[in-house]
C-alpha cells in the first residue's frame, strides 16, 4: 500500500467516524436514534463518496482551500471577542461568504450576547526577581482594583491539591500548573479555576494555558463563575511561566506578583446568529444542525 493510499484510508475512516457522530444527532423531529452498530454499517456504504470528498480536498482542486480561507478570515478580522466590533465584522464576513458559496436560506437572527471587554492587563513578578509575564484575561473575568493586586503566590497542580492546601490560599494568587492530559479534561481548570480558588479565599487565579505545546504564548478562552462564590480576577499564563513558578515553589522560594486587569462586563450587546442550510437530495425533509 502506498503512502497516499494509507493516508486516504485513514482519512476515510476518520471522515466516516465523524459522519457517524453527526448522524447520531441528526433526527430532530419524530424519530428515535439507531444503535451505533447499525449506524456504522449504514455509513460504511458511503466510503467511496467520502474518499472522493477527501481526494478533492487533499489532492484535487480544493487542495489547501480550507486553510487559505481560514487564513484570509483570521488575517482580515482577527480576534472576535463577544460583543466586540470585530465580532460584527466577522458575522458580516461569514454571511457574505456563505451567500457567495451558494448555500440556501442564508440569514441572520438577532440575538443579545454578553459584552465583555478585556482592557489593559499585566502581571509582574516582584519576588524573587523582576519578571514581566505574558497573560491574557479569561473571558467574563472581573478586573482588579485600581492599582492592581499585589500578593504572594500559591502554586498547585490540581483541584485536589488546592483543597488539601486551602488554608494556605487565603489572600494569595493561586497559580494552577496543571499537567495537560487532554483538552476536554484539562480545560476544567480554565472554566472553573477562579471559583475554586475563590472558595479557598484566594484574591486572584492564574491558569497555565490549556495546551500541550507552547512558544511562551498564553491561550485564553471563556470561564464561568459559580453562583454564590466571590468573583476574583483570572487570566491564563504561559506554560513556561507556570512551570518556572512551580520550580521556584518546590524550592521553598517566596513568589510575589502584581496583577493588573482592566476587564469589565458591559450591558448585553446586539448581535446575530448566522444560519445557512444545505438541503439534502434524498431526504430534504430531515433536519441536521451543527453550530460553530
Amino acid at each position: 500500500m502506498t503512502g497516499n493510499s494509507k493516508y486516504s484510508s485513514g482519512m476515510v475512516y476518520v471522515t466516516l467516524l465523524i459522519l457517524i457522530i453527526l448522524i447520531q444527532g441528526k433526527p430532530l423531529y419524530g424519530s428515535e436514534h439507531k444503535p451505533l452498530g447499525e449506524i456504522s454499517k449504514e455509513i460504511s456504504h458511503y466510503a467511496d463518496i467520502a474518499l472522493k470528498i477527501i481526494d478533492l480536498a487533499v489532492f484535487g482542486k480544493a487542495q489547501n482551500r480550507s486553510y487559505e480561507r481560514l487564513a484570509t478570515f483570521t488575517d482580515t478580522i482577527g480576534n472576535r471577542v463577544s460583543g466586540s466590533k470585530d465580532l460584527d465584522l466577522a458575522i458580516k464576513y461569514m454571511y457574505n461568504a456563505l451567500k457567495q458559496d451558494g448555500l440556501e436560506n442564508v440569514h441572520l437572527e438577532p440575538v443579545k450576547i454578553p459584552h465583555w471587554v478585556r482592557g489593559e492587563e499585566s502581571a509582574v513578578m516582584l519576588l524573587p526577581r523582576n519578571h514581566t509575564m505574558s497573560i491574557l484575561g479569561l473571558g467574563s473575568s472581573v478586573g482588579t482594583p485600581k492599582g492592581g493586586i499585589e500578593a504572594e503566590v500559591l502554586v498547585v497542580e490540581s483541584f485536589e491539591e488546592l483543597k488539601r492546601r486551602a488554608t494556605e490560599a487565603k489572600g494569595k494568587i493561586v497559580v494552577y500548573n496543571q499537567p495537560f492530559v487532554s483538552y476536554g479534561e484539562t480545560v476544567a481548570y480554565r472554566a472553573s479555576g477562579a471559583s475554586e480558588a475563590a472558595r479557598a479565599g484566594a484574591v486572584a487565579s492564574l491558569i497555565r494555558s490549556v495546551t500541550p505545546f507552547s512558544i511562551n504564548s498564553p491561550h485564553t478562552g471563556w470561564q464561568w463563575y459559580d453562583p454564590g462564590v466571590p468573583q476574583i480576577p483570572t487570566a491564563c499564563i504561559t506554560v513556561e511561566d507556570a512551570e518556572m513558578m512551580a520550580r521556584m515553589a518546590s524550592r521553598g522560594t517566596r513568589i510575589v506578583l502584581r496583577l493588573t486587569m482592566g476587564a469589565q462586563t458591559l450591558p448585553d450587546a446586539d448581535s446575530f446568529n448566522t444560519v445557512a442550510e444545505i438541503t439534502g437530495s434524498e431526504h430534504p425533509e430531515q433536519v441536521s444542525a451543527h453550530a460553530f
Side-chain angles (χ1 to χ4, degrees):
M1 183 179 286
T2 65
N4 281 350
S5 296
K6 289 181 179 179
Y7 178 80
S8 297
S9 298
M11 287 295 290
V12 169
Y13 175 79
V14 171
T15 303
L16 292 177
L17 182 60
I18 292 171
L19 288 172
I20 290 169
I21 294 170
L22 290 176
I23 279 187
Q24 290 183 78
K26 180 186 68 175
L28 298 182
Y29 304 103
S31 60
E32 299 291 331
H33 294 317
K34 298 178 180 178
L36 182 58
E38 188 177 337
I39 293 173
S40 301
K41 184 176 180 181
E42 180 181 339
I43 289 297
S44 67
H45 296 293
Y46 295 92
D48 290 341
I49 296 174
L51 183 57
K52 289 179 181 178
I53 295 172
I54 292 166
D55 284 341
L56 177 66
V58 178
F59 308 111
K61 293 181 180 180
Q63 187 179 34
N64 292 329
R65 183 186 294 171
S66 296
Y67 173 82
E68 290 167 358
R69 287 187 171 189
L70 179 61
T72 301
F73 176 64
T74 54
D75 291 345
T76 303
I77 304 298
N79 61 72
R80 306 167 297 283
V81 179
S82 178
S84 67
K85 292 182 179 179
D86 283 347
L87 178 61
D88 287 338
L89 293 175
I91 291 170
K92 293 173 183 175
Y93 182 101
M94 292 308 302
Y95 173 83
N96 291 328
L98 292 167
K99 294 281 283 188
Q100 290 172 9
D101 282 348
L103 274 74
E104 299 147 349
N105 193 24
V106 179
H107 64 279
L108 301 177
E109 297 176 342
V111 64
K112 289 284 189 179
I113 60 172
H115 187 183
W116 179 77
V117 179
R118 176 171 284 113
E120 297 293 325
E121 55 191 14
S122 64
V124 180
M125 179 184 290
L126 304 176
L127 290 174
R129 64 181 178 89
N130 185 271
H131 170 61
T132 299
M133 302 167 62
S134 296
I135 70 166
L136 279 173
L138 295 179
S140 83
S141 174
V142 297
T144 61
K146 189 175 181 179
I149 293 172
E150 185 174 317
E152 192 172 338
V153 164
L154 173 67
V155 182
V156 298
E157 288 192 352
S158 66
F159 291 138
E160 289 72 21
E161 182 181 358
L162 175 61
K163 290 177 182 177
R164 290 197 307 270
R165 303 177 65 187
T167 56
E168 303 175 53
K170 188 174 182 179
K172 295 183 180 179
I173 297 173
V174 169
V175 171
Y176 291 97
N177 183 40
Q178 76 286 347
F180 182 86
V181 179
S182 67
Y183 184 82
E185 181 174 339
T186 313
V187 76
Y189 289 89
R190 190 185 77 198
S192 305
S195 288
E196 293 300 323
R199 282 192 177 91
V203 294
S205 67
L206 297 174
I207 291 86
R208 167 176 163 163
S209 291
V210 183
T211 175
F213 305 106
S214 179
I215 50 173
N216 203 41
S217 54
H219 294 214
T220 189
W222 207 254
Q223 66 91 37
W224 290 267
Y225 290 117
D226 290 346
V229 179
Q231 297 184 359
I232 61 175
T234 183
C236 59
I237 58 176
T238 67
V239 171
E240 291 85 348
D241 280 338
E243 291 186 338
M244 177 183 67
M245 286 189 282
R247 292 193 300 271
M248 290 176 171
S250 69
R251 302 183 194 115
T253 302
R254 182 170 178 258
I255 307 168
V256 176
L257 301 181
R258 179 185 293 120
L259 177 66
T260 305
M261 294 176 60
Q264 57 180 320
T265 298
L266 302 177
D268 286 354
D270 293 320
S271 189
F272 299 93
N273 290 324
T274 307
V275 181
E277 294 182 13
I278 301 176
T279 304
S281 58
E282 292 186 14
H283 298 286
E285 76 285 354
Q286 294 184 358
V287 178
S288 178
H290 191 78
F292 292 94

